[in-house]
Amino acid sequence: MRPRTAFRVGLVLLVAALAAYPAVGTGYGVRAMLQIFMWVALAASWNLISGLTGYVSFGHVAFFGAGAYTGAILITSAGWSWPAAALAGGLGACVVALVIGYPCLRLKGPYFAIAMLGLNEVLRALVSYFEGLTGGGNGISLPTLEATVPVYYAMGVAAAAVTLLAYLVITSRFGLRLMTIREDEVAAEAMGIDTARHKLYAFLLSAAGPGIVGALAARDQGYIEPISVFPLATTITMIVMVLFGGKGTVWGPVLGAVVLFVSQELVWARFPYLHQLLFGSIIVAVVLLMPRGVLGLLQQKYHLPRTI
Amino acid sequence: MTRPLLEIEGLSKSFGGVAAVDRVSLALEPGRIYGLIGPNGSGKTTLFHCVTGVERRDAGRVRFNGERIDGLEPHAIARRGIGRTFQIIRVFPELTALENLLVVTRGSLAGAEARARELLRFVKLDGLVHEYAGNLSYGQQRLVEFVRVLMRDPSLILLDEPAAGVNRTLLNDLLEAVRRLRDDGKTILLVEHDMKVVMGLCETVFVLDHGEKIAEGPPGVIQADERVIEAYFGR
Ligand SMILES: Nc1ncnc2c1ncn2[C@@H]1O[C@H](COP(=O)(O)OP(=O)(O)OP(=O)(O)O)[C@@H](O)[C@H]1O
Ligand SMILES: [Mg+2]
């Protein structure tokens, strides 16, 4: 079998196994997988804007939170079904991205990163303030509903969809153009590439996934509050996952999400303090020793396509 | 006189107190090769930046095909048919040589690929199409930048020291390519320090000194111009 065929067969088998898993897995196992799916979707989304264009979004969890609140409000106040609310969560996040992307994507380097950090704080403050709609600091409780397995599938589909989207983008000329923004924005403009428009499109694409999984997570947890859906730590985790796996590649964020989540679970359970230390060490080690991440390193070294 | 392709009127740009480009006016007719020379720091690159929108001009007008282009965004200017290279190389280092060319095209990727490979073959880079541009030698990167400009088929091409770092044999090919572009009806404005190149290639030469245009004319006349000699050797 050629490697490509083998890879495809493996992928199909993996999807089949994941689809069958809730029938045989433990409750803990299903919950863990559900979270891995969520992290894959988040990391792969961050990669779309930051891995490709080099615009480091330091507040990407804002879209997760925007989706969570959109979904939760629609479910509780408007009686929407959670799948519809999840899609609306993605849309809500895109609206936020559209409103703030236009001014913020003009900022360069650290200024964009800080502006995104600020956005997250502003959103958190806004949902705390508009108590009538959001419950303020008390948060929102969703009607009880046992939906772990359906949400597992929904998260799985979201993870697969974002990964497929990343594949389509990275193998297209649109994706190459996003990379020229990372490589040299001045040259890209001088070559006729409308960088502002391309950045905005990438930003919108990168907001949809977090918005959807934010709404799914809200449904899954049954309760949200400002501090639970806008934590800076979630953004940092996304970033570390992508940097570890390899930014700008298709499978890097997936690898990063799986490896980091699993190692976190293993260590977290046993050594809660060590966990922080380990996480910090991984960040430092990746940045110092392997700035391209695992797959990025392989890709550069062996001239592999970015679709690894 | 045919209608100028590019018309610059009273263009000025200063950085802090330094007038990098000072009320420069010039016109380029279609189908010709022009030279832009001047001592270091005389404003040649800044002039390119202002025409292509990379820097915002302080004053003056730029018309291309009769249409005002000053104030437009760089990509909008590029799309009207102005291509340029940079004095300090600006390839996309982590894209391959081939991708550097493909990324700037419109239309179908397949059609573009044939053209891109042809251009890379022309500059003797056909063995390196899948190499990251950042791994190529300095001279090779210049060539990638040069052919990348051609992918969009611009009618005006601004070249900022295209010969720097390119080896002799390839340099001759490059100069030949510039002549052929002219024969195809393109207009080329070339910044170059190598006087032999300028004298052999250009039909009209503009000379800048301290941001001001101090002379304009055929290479032979320019070489004998007192102000030009003074600008280069005088002070
Ligand atoms: N971004 C900038 N900020 C401040 N000063 C600048 C900037 N760019 C150019 N200058 C100044 O403007 C003047 C013209 O510079 P420019 O690079 O256009 O000259 P040049 O003719 O291209 O020189 P060279 O032959 O060395 O390439 C110089 O005095 C330079 O120091
Ligand atoms: Mg210069």
Side-chain angles (χ1 to χ4, degrees), chain B residues 214-231:
Chain B
I214 57 165
E216 164 178 353
V221 177
I222 289 295
Q223 251 173 332
D225 187 300
E226 254 173 57
R227 285 193 71 186
V228 176
I229 295 167
E230 194 186 294

Side-chain angles (χ1 to χ4, degrees), chain A:
Chain A
M1 234 188 302
R2 288 169 48 225
R4 212 181 154 81
T5 326
F7 177 75
R8 288 201 175 152
V9 171
L11 205 58
V12 170
L13 290 178
L14 177 69
V15 170
L18 290 174
Y21 183 68
V24 292
T26 61
Y28 168 79
V30 171
R31 297 212 62 77
M33 287 309 300
L34 181 156
Q35 287 191 61
I36 289 182
F37 292 153
M38 181 185 87
W39 285 112
V40 167
L42 290 175
S45 294
W46 186 83
N47 188 39
L48 281 175
I49 180 72
S50 302
L52 293 180
T53 73
Y55 274 67
V56 176
S57 170
F58 232 84
H60 225 60
V61 72
F63 301 126
F64 178 87
Y69 267 94
T70 306
I73 290 168
L74 287 172
I75 290 170
T76 50
S77 309
W80 283 36
S81 70
W82 64 263
L87 291 178
L91 200 65
C94 284
V95 170
V96 174
L98 189 65
V99 172
I100 59 125
Y102 193 73
C104 288
L105 286 165
R106 279 159 198 273
L107 303 170
K108 304 266 181 268
Y111 299 102
F112 174 75
I114 299 297
M116 287 301 297
L117 193 61
L119 164 78
N120 190 41
E121 299 310 309
V122 167
L123 276 190
R124 198 215 320 250
L126 282 179
V127 298
S128 306
Y129 181 76
F130 287 102
E131 285 183 20
L133 194 62
T134 63
N138 295 327
I140 302 177
S141 291
L142 282 73
T144 32
L145 174 75
E146 176 44 50
T148 302
V149 171
V151 171
Y152 166 96
Y153 285 114
M155 283 285 195
V157 170
V162 178
T163 307
L164 178 68
L165 177 67
Y167 174 85
L168 294 175
V169 167
I170 287 172
T171 53
S172 71
R173 182 162 35 190
F174 171 67
L176 281 181
R177 288 192 175 149
L178 296 182
M179 292 177 228
T180 67
I181 295 169
R182 175 189 75 196
E183 300 288 291
D184 191 329
E185 197 166 345
V186 172
E189 273 281 328
M191 295 312 300
I193 296 170
D194 185 345
T195 56
R197 183 186 294 259
H198 279 76
K199 280 184 285 189
L200 190 61
Y201 289 163
F203 199 50
L204 291 178
L205 290 178
S206 80
I212 291 172
V213 300
L216 291 175
R219 171 62 275 168
D220 185 50
Q221 281 151 25
Y223 171 71
I224 61 169
E225 58 181 329
I227 50 167
S228 75
V229 296
F230 292 110
L232 175 62
T234 301
T235 299
I236 294 179
T237 305
M238 283 183 229
I239 297 177
V240 175
M241 285 170 169
V242 176
L243 294 188
F244 175 84
K247 62 181 194 285
T249 65
V250 173
W251 292 102
V254 180
L255 178 75
V258 172
V259 170
L260 260 80
F261 181 83
V262 170
S263 54
Q264 228 177 35
E265 279 293 287
L266 293 179
V267 181
W268 173 257
R270 271 162 244 167
F271 318 101
Y273 291 105
L274 202 60
H275 156 259
Q276 303 271 343
L277 189 70
L278 177 88
F279 203 69
S281 312
I282 290 179
I283 298 178
V284 174
V286 166
V287 171
L288 286 181
L289 305 174
M290 224 181 22
R292 295 179 190 291
V294 177
L295 294 186
L297 194 73
L298 293 177
Q299 184 220 340
Q300 285 269 326
K301 203 160 174 180
Y302 301 105
H303 282 80
L304 301 173
R306 299 181 187 89
T307 46
I308 61 166

Side-chain angles (χ1 to χ4, degrees), chain B residues 109-131:
Chain B
L109 261 186
E113 183 163 343
R115 169 94 178 121
R117 284 180 182 275
E118 180 194 318
L119 284 169
L120 288 169
R121 190 161 42 241
F122 168 69
V123 289
K124 312 266 184 315
L125 291 174
D126 34 342
L128 294 166
V129 286
H130 293 303
E131 187 57 68

Side-chain angles (χ1 to χ4, degrees), chain B residues 11-67:
Chain B
L11 189 70
S12 294
K13 170 78 191 175
S14 52
F15 295 105
V18 184
V21 174
D22 196 1
R23 291 161 296 174
V24 169
S25 298
L26 54 85
L28 309 183
E29 285 173 43
R32 299 175 75 93
I33 303 175
Y34 295 88
L36 179 62
I37 65 171
N40 289 115
S42 57
K44 305 177 296 288
T45 297
T46 305
L47 183 83
F48 274 20
H49 284 343
C50 290
V51 169
T52 54
V54 170
E55 295 272 10
R56 235 169 241 299
R57 85 224 180 287
D58 297 336
R61 291 174 187 170
V62 182
R63 282 196 190 83
F64 183 64
N65 277 322
E67 179 202 7

